[in-house]
Amino acid sequence: MSQSGALSGLQITAQGLEQKFGEGSAKFMQTMLEQAVSQLIKTSLDKDEELLNRFQRIHIQDGSVIGLPDKCVEIWQGVRPKNKKGCSAVKLHVSLEYKSGQVSGPVLANGREHDQKSPFFHKTLQTGELRITDLGFFSLDQLEKDAQAGGFWVIRYKNDVILYENNTELHLASFLKKQRNHLVDIPVQAGQTRYLPCRLVAIRVNEQIAAERIRKLREEAQKNKKPLSAERLQLVHWTIMLTNASQNLLAPLEVYTLLRLRWQIELLFRLWKTYSQVDESESQNPWRVLTEMYAKLIAVLIQQWILFASIWHIPNKSIVLAPSLIQTFAIPIHLFLKDKTALCLILSTLVNLLQSTPTLLKRKLRPSTAQILGNPQLSLR
């Protein structure tokens, strides 16, 4: 860090720099992060896939938690187990517009905050937009608002949601047990009082996947000391989805293909944590830990700007391998921050290098996202 400071003309020892980490440095860097998040970087380079082009925008939303030292609990509160003090954590609320790669956030909140408190989740969709979320965001209220506004959604079925078919309650486990086809697509109404019209799309999974799901369910039931119903065990043999998109807009396998896009935001969090280590620090000083976390979040946000301005729109380019190349340009970017001409040249060189990297080979066993978008049949592999 002291070496990096020297690049900006800051002459300070490592020990002197360590003494600068305090409440002031953390608040300053947090404000810098908020300023960075408020910047809207646009690009005309969208992913060009026929399936994606049926929607104006595709919003994938989720949250991720970063654990913090217990001394940070006065600033960021996590989930506190019984008979334990502290337990600090911060939640990152993020929305990824998949076609362009535009990231909204991260907006920081207490680690204990529910996903549905995300500021992005409560923004009603515009006409022609699609939202893809996990079960933590399942809200019939919001689904209804999005549908009424002309938006679309794809989400996994939540086990306690009551479904109706032709105004008759649908007992899902027994209904699916009678099916002979591997794929089911029927119109239903969701909610005991709302009767929200949608489609139920279910795809039968193989025995290996079902066995793994059963194992996880039993572990969870044992941990929470709750009984596991026979109905829950029966439903694991199917991947069950709800959507308000018509059959004319999306075929059943296309619904499943779009649901699988939710993994892309998990990949984004993985890039931030595994490759940029936003959740790691070698210090025990809580103020330094916070200062570093805010600074690293600014860095990964700039990294995402570079990604969607360079290769996000190109099929079969590795988003996982790109950050290591971007990080090698950190010092040149730092050196020429005040020289706009030189900075543009450095960034143009970086973009050209990213675009020149080889594309990923096609995979037979585990097809890439680009392959599946081009051929939804591959989603069953």
Side-chain angles (χ1 to χ4, degrees):
M1 287 186 183
S2 59
Q3 288 176 338
S4 296
L7 294 177
S8 300
L10 176 66
Q11 299 300 322
I12 191 170
T13 63
Q15 292 80 7
L17 184 61
E18 179 66 33
Q19 295 174 10
K20 296 291 184 180
F21 288 108
E23 184 176 2
S25 70
K27 287 185 175 179
F28 172 79
M29 200 58 70
Q30 183 179 6
T31 303
M32 286 286 288
L33 173 62
E34 291 168 355
Q35 288 292 319
V37 168
S38 70
Q39 304 302 310
L40 180 61
I41 311 298
K42 292 186 177 181
T43 176
S44 59
L45 303 173
D46 282 359
K47 289 181 178 292
D48 188 16
E49 289 284 351
E50 192 277 329
L51 177 57
L52 302 181
N53 290 339
R54 299 177 198 176
F55 303 95
Q56 293 295 321
R57 295 181 183 84
I58 298 177
H59 302 286
I60 309 174
Q61 297 166 346
D62 205 351
S64 184
V65 175
I66 294 177
L68 297 170
D70 284 353
K71 292 181 180 179
C72 298
V73 73
E74 297 298 324
I75 303 167
W76 298 113
Q77 291 84 47
V79 178
R80 183 180 300 175
K82 293 180 180 179
N83 304 320
K84 186 175 181 181
K85 298 180 180 179
C87 291
S88 177
V90 62
K91 173 165 281 189
L92 313 178
H93 290 302
V94 176
S95 181
L96 169 65
E97 200 290 289
Y98 182 69
K99 291 178 66 176
S100 68
Q102 173 71 54
V103 166
S104 298
V107 173
L108 274 54
N110 289 319
R112 65 177 67 172
E113 186 170 282
H114 196 280
D115 285 338
Q116 292 186 17
K117 295 291 183 69
S118 167
F120 308 114
F121 180 63
H122 291 285
K123 288 184 178 179
T124 302
L125 295 178
Q126 301 296 311
T127 301
E129 293 185 339
L130 171 69
R131 193 198 307 267
I132 304 172
T133 58
D134 200 7
L135 282 177
F137 294 87
F138 196 106
S139 165
L140 288 173
D141 286 344
Q142 191 60 46
L143 294 177
E144 186 175 49
K145 289 178 183 177
D146 288 339
Q148 290 175 347
F152 301 97
W153 32 265
V154 173
I155 192 168
R156 286 193 299 138
Y157 166 72
K158 193 175 182 181
N159 289 315
D160 59 353
V161 173
I162 297 176
L163 299 176
Y164 293 87
E165 183 186 19
N166 298 324
N167 297 321
T168 302
E169 185 174 342
L170 181 67
H171 297 283
L172 193 54
S174 58
F175 169 77
L176 291 175
K177 190 174 182 180
K178 297 175 184 177
Q179 303 304 309
R180 294 295 173 259
N181 295 328
H182 76 282
L183 192 151
V184 175
D185 183 4
I186 60 171
V188 295
Q189 300 83 43
Q192 190 169 11
T193 57
R194 292 192 174 277
Y195 293 95
L196 179 64
C198 56
R199 288 164 61 196
L200 182 142
V201 178
I203 298 175
R204 195 191 304 270
V205 302
N206 61 44
E207 290 303 318
Q208 183 179 358
I209 294 176
E212 178 62 16
R213 290 179 177 180
I214 291 172
R215 182 189 67 80
K216 290 181 179 179
L217 275 179
R218 285 176 172 163
E219 283 184 357
E220 182 181 358
Q222 185 176 11
K223 179 180 177 181
N224 297 327
K225 297 181 179 179
K226 292 183 178 180
L228 190 58
S229 67
E231 182 178 6
R232 287 291 302 278
L233 291 173
Q234 179 63 34
L235 291 178
V236 300
H237 294 273
W238 296 82
T239 295
I240 308 170
M241 301 156 281
L242 298 178
T243 181
N244 66 328
S246 68
Q247 291 179 334
N248 291 332
L249 182 61
L250 291 177
L253 284 182
E254 291 174 334
V255 174
Y256 183 44
T257 296
L258 290 172
L259 180 70
R260 287 178 54 144
L261 286 184
R262 206 199 66 79
W263 164 249
Q264 295 301 308
I265 201 166
E266 297 288 352
L267 177 60
L268 187 70
F269 290 138
R270 178 180 156 196
L271 288 178
W272 292 3
K273 291 183 176 182
T274 303
Y275 293 88
S276 298
Q277 299 182 324
V278 296
D279 58 343
E280 299 289 339
S281 177
E282 296 180 359
S283 176
Q284 298 299 314
N285 177 356
W287 295 117
R288 174 173 170 175
V289 172
L290 289 173
T291 304
E292 287 183 3
M293 180 186 70
Y294 300 140
K296 289 177 181 178
L297 288 172
I298 294 172
V300 296
L301 190 57
I302 295 172
Q303 174 179 282
Q304 184 66 19
W305 292 344
I306 295 172
L307 280 175
F308 80 71
S310 58
I311 63 171
W312 189 270
H313 65 290
I314 304 176
N316 288 319
K317 286 288 186 180
S318 175
I319 303 301
V320 174
L321 298 178
S324 59
L325 177 59
I326 294 173
Q327 289 170 16
T328 62
F329 274 69
I331 290 179
I333 290 173
H334 187 163
L335 284 171
F336 295 108
L337 271 178
K338 295 182 180 180
D339 185 335
K340 184 177 179 179
T341 301
L343 181 60
C344 287
L345 179 61
I346 289 293
L347 291 174
S348 295
T349 302
L350 174 56
V351 168
N352 288 334
L353 286 175
L354 287 168
Q355 292 178 342
S356 300
T357 55
T359 56
L360 296 173
L361 297 176
K362 291 185 177 180
R363 303 194 297 252
K364 291 184 178 181
L365 293 180
R366 298 181 63 187
S368 66
T369 299
Q371 287 176 260
I372 294 172
L373 286 172
N375 182 8
Q377 284 286 343
L378 296 177
S379 64
L380 296 177
R381 292 189 181 180

